[in-house]
Amino acid sequence: MTDVSQTRAAHDVLIVGAGPVGLTLANDLLRRGISCRLIDSAPRAAQKTKALGIHAKTLELFAKMGVAHTAIERGLKSPAFRLSSDGKRIARIDFQEHLLESPYPYVLMLPQHETEQLLTAHLHSQHGAIEWRAELIGVTQDEQGADAVVRHADGKVEQIRVGFVVGCDGAHSTVRHLLGLHFAGTTFEQSFAVGNVRLAWALPYDEIVACVHRGSFIAYFPMADGRHRVVIAYELEKVPPGEVTLEEIQRVIETCGPVGARASEPADLTRFHVNQRRAEHYRCGRIFLAGDAAHIHSPIGAQGMNTGIQDALNLSWKLALTIKGLAAPRLLESYEVEREQVGEALLRGTERATRLALTRNPLLLGLRTALAPLFFSSLPGTAHRLAEALSEISIAYPQSPIVVDSRDKKGTLLAGDRAPNALIRVGGSAESCPLFEIFKSPRSILLVLAARQEAEAVERHWREVEALLSTDYQEMIELYLVTQSAVSGVQQEGKHILYDVTGELHRRYEAEQGGVVLIRPDGYIGFWGQAGVTEALRSYVQSLFCPQRERRPS
């Protein structure tokens, strides 16, 4: 009979899977004062390149966690994406030109195992740890918590009582299987060959390049060590037999381009198949799925790891407030609604892109080669939208149940959209800094945008909002007045004053007449109202958050 030890409610959350998604979730929960255990059935961390690109939105979130600067120091900034078809350039997307609103106008090329290393180091700095060779073999739940059964390397079985369980354990997720969730897929299967090589060619080393030619596809991703990660896509019936070789890679290079490019020094070669799938639910009671456990898709677009990391950071702040008894149930319920929509859109987009890349239809081939360059050159907004899509800056939650826009007249920037950046001055400082520095707070940020309203009206509205929040919501919301001129009644509270001396912030927020904007901890606009909408704001806050004096049991 197996000896089972029990650990009773020692931790708030059990995270299954210590890849980039699980590590991100653990780090952000610890930052918010939530205890967690992180387990993985593998004997140690993987040393494979796997995913490579870290996009602008993910770096913005990493900056909140305090790891963006380390990642940037280790990685390579890729400033542009170049696409060609049948030897003809279709487009070149310059991220620095089209992502000016982000502090990170590039794709950061950093192998997945190095991303995991820096996240692990950050975990250790917060006194967290990874339990390797710890396999989840059972999980049940009730209204008060979840019981997980874990088998350790020495054969001992432990039953762990926690508040919540999150499966970040990849495409073959044990958590998903134990829940019995259907992993719905498409009939569109793809095969990929990947590897690291050194390239001799005439193109700029640091740009991302993709080439397609009559049903063949190859992409090149630069790495900091001087090599490129190559990704080759095949139709299933066209997959070469056996292991991936340098000869195979060179053959595809000669088919697709660039002309004259030569590959050498192959490493980390592998072949894999993908059948795009999505879990029927991202949540079952107190058990959640994130990353590849919830959705897998084609690597074309290089968005899998980024989407998983953003799953984790959408969930973490909601989970933390729930555990602390500071959130209404609908806050945590919004995780599945918001991220399921993102996952579904990603699956549709990557399938369309892969079908177009691998098409052999003569009509489509001709249209792709002839019309795509004209499309990008004649419609400059197209390049901008593509850059925002690739960087995941365009992700938004306009249909979210926890997003409210109470303005009479709405602009192009809506509640649910990513909150823009702008230069501001904090308190009495003479130096400007990015608004995103304020966003590093683990709390939501409430901006009272005063524009150039009369001082008396600004002070009155400020006091109303301040009285609304008082001490009941201080753990959830951080309050700032944004003004373009001095406001006498609140000068003594300089740290709560942001000066928009150029008007840039008001312009980017389309708030020249003032307004109130609540920005969530994940950088999205949760509430937007015009000046003086105290009652609408009160209703919104009370619908999501529980006053600190009335903490609810999680």
Side-chain angles (χ1 to χ4, degrees):
M1 183 175 179
T2 304
D3 182 32
V4 179
S5 63
Q6 291 189 337
T7 302
R8 307 302 300 178
H11 295 84
D12 298 311
V13 183
L14 174 67
I15 302 170
V16 184
V21 179
L23 284 164
T24 297
L25 180 61
N27 270 300
D28 205 53
L29 288 174
L30 289 173
R31 180 171 83 106
R32 299 175 186 281
I34 303 301
S35 64
C36 56
R37 284 182 72 170
L38 177 57
I39 66 171
D40 198 297
S41 59
R44 66 187 67 85
Q47 296 300 312
K48 298 291 186 180
T49 303
K50 294 185 179 179
L52 189 61
I54 304 178
H55 297 304
K57 178 57 185 176
T58 304
L59 287 171
E60 292 173 6
L61 294 171
F62 272 3
K64 290 173 172 285
M65 292 171 51
V67 299
H69 65 284
T70 305
I72 292 167
E73 287 175 355
R74 295 187 184 184
L76 171 74
K77 298 176 183 178
S78 181
F81 167 65
R82 185 186 298 257
L83 175 63
S84 69
S85 174
D86 301 324
K88 183 177 181 180
R89 192 174 91 172
I90 290 179
R92 182 181 179 276
I93 308 300
D94 188 323
F95 296 115
Q96 298 187 43
E97 177 183 348
H98 298 294
L99 292 181
L100 294 178
E101 289 189 6
S102 176
Y104 311 103
Y106 47 80
V107 180
L108 183 71
M109 312 309 294
L110 186 69
Q112 181 174 320
H113 68 277
E114 293 190 35
T115 301
E116 293 176 7
Q117 287 169 9
L118 70 89
L119 289 171
T120 300
H122 193 63
L123 183 77
H124 292 161
S125 74
Q126 298 191 86
H127 309 291
I130 303 170
E131 299 176 46
W132 297 108
R133 293 184 177 176
E135 179 186 6
L136 181 73
I137 58 175
V139 64
T140 57
Q141 59 179 313
D142 53 43
E143 292 184 1
Q144 285 73 46
D147 290 292
V149 183
V150 176
R151 181 166 53 220
H152 295 277
D154 59 4
K156 289 184 178 179
V157 175
E158 178 186 13
Q159 182 171 304
I160 306 169
R161 179 70 173 177
V162 292
F164 298 90
V165 176
V166 185
C168 305
D169 47 345
H172 302 289
S173 171
T174 298
V175 175
R176 191 184 63 243
H177 284 298
L178 290 172
L179 290 172
L181 290 175
H182 184 48
F183 204 34
T186 70
T187 57
F188 182 55
E189 292 186 74
Q190 309 127 67
S191 182
F192 294 88
V194 296
N196 301 339
V197 298
R198 196 168 298 278
L199 284 173
W201 64 2
L203 294 178
Y205 166 74
D206 59 353
E207 293 188 5
I208 301 167
V209 177
C211 303
V212 291
H213 178 78
R214 302 182 184 278
S216 297
F217 170 93
I218 187 168
Y220 308 88
F221 299 91
M223 299 167 63
D225 65 1
R227 294 181 297 170
H228 281 78
R229 181 75 164 169
V230 295
V231 177
I232 300 169
Y234 292 106
E235 297 170 295
L236 285 184
E237 63 274 14
K238 303 291 183 180
V239 179
E243 301 295 324
V244 180
T245 64
L246 177 61
E247 289 73 25
E248 175 186 341
I249 293 172
Q250 186 61 48
R251 187 164 58 247
V252 179
I253 291 174
E254 290 170 0
T255 299
C256 296
V259 174
R262 301 292 301 176
S264 62
E265 301 179 32
D268 204 3
L269 304 178
T270 190
R271 198 185 304 281
F272 62 91
H273 300 279
V274 171
N275 184 359
Q276 304 205 138
R277 295 179 180 274
R278 180 176 64 81
E280 59 179 316
H281 294 293
Y282 284 29
R283 178 193 185 186
C284 287
R286 290 176 169 267
I287 305 174
F288 297 81
L289 299 176
D292 285 356
H295 47 76
I296 57 172
H297 51 85
S298 166
I300 291 179
Q303 298 195 327
M305 181 181 71
N306 289 267
T307 302
I309 287 172
Q310 291 175 45
D311 287 346
L313 292 171
N314 181 287
L315 176 61
S316 60
W317 67 276
K318 300 172 182 177
L319 202 53
L321 289 177
T322 300
I323 290 167
K324 292 177 180 179
L326 297 173
R330 63 198 302 261
L331 184 67
L332 196 54
E333 290 166 1
S334 71
Y335 167 71
E336 178 171 73
V337 177
E338 292 182 347
R339 296 309 295 175
E340 195 173 49
Q341 293 175 355
V342 172
E344 181 64 29
L346 181 62
L347 260 65
R348 290 197 305 269
T350 54
E351 179 170 339
R352 284 196 299 266
T354 306
R355 286 187 183 276
L356 183 59
L358 297 179
T359 184
R360 292 177 179 274
N361 183 298
L363 177 60
L364 290 178
L365 286 171
L367 290 173
R368 184 180 70 191
T369 303
L371 298 183
L374 297 174
F375 186 68
F376 278 96
S377 61
S378 61
L379 297 173
T382 302
H384 180 78
R385 288 191 294 272
L386 181 56
E388 289 195 333
L390 290 172
S391 64
E392 301 200 336
I393 279 178
S394 62
I395 290 173
Y397 307 118
Q399 306 303 319
S400 169
I402 62 166
V403 163
V404 171
D405 197 325
S406 69
R407 294 173 296 172
D408 293 334
K409 184 178 180 181
K410 299 176 177 61
T412 57
L413 190 66
L414 304 172
D417 287 348
R418 166 185 167 272
N421 196 15
L423 288 177
I424 45 91
R425 292 182 184 175
V426 181
S429 172
E431 298 294 325
S432 295
C433 75
L435 181 64
F436 277 11
E437 287 296 312
I438 304 297
F439 291 0
K440 289 182 179 179
S441 167
R443 295 179 282 181
S444 293
I445 302 296
L446 183 63
L447 302 178
V448 178
L449 299 164
R452 294 191 178 277
Q453 298 177 72
E454 293 293 329
E456 183 179 345
V458 172
E459 290 176 32
R460 183 174 62 252
H461 185 42
W462 169 262
R463 297 306 178 192
E464 289 176 355
V465 174
E466 190 178 45
L468 162 64
L469 298 181
S470 63
T471 58
D472 280 347
Y473 299 100
Q474 285 186 353
E475 195 168 343
M476 297 83 95
I477 302 172
E478 204 167 291
L479 177 61
Y480 289 90
L481 174 66
V482 184
T483 178
Q484 293 179 260
S485 57
V487 182
S488 60
V490 290
Q491 286 304 300
Q492 67 273 20
E493 303 164 36
K495 68 177 181 178
H496 295 294
I497 304 292
L498 304 179
Y499 291 101
D500 181 23
V501 292
T502 66
E504 177 189 17
L505 187 149
H506 282 77
R507 286 194 300 273
R508 289 195 172 179
Y509 281 79
E510 301 173 4
E512 286 84 354
Q513 304 305 313
V516 181
V517 180
L518 184 139
I519 299 157
R520 308 176 350 173
D522 56 358
Y524 291 91
I525 298 171
F527 174 86
W528 203 329
Q530 55 207 51
V533 294
T534 310
E535 286 308 311
L537 177 61
R538 184 194 308 276
S539 176
Y540 177 79
V541 169
Q542 291 177 347
S543 72
L544 290 187
F545 305 117
C546 178
Q548 288 170 236
R549 56 185 164 80
E550 299 176 9
R551 290 174 185 260
R552 301 173 183 174
S554 65

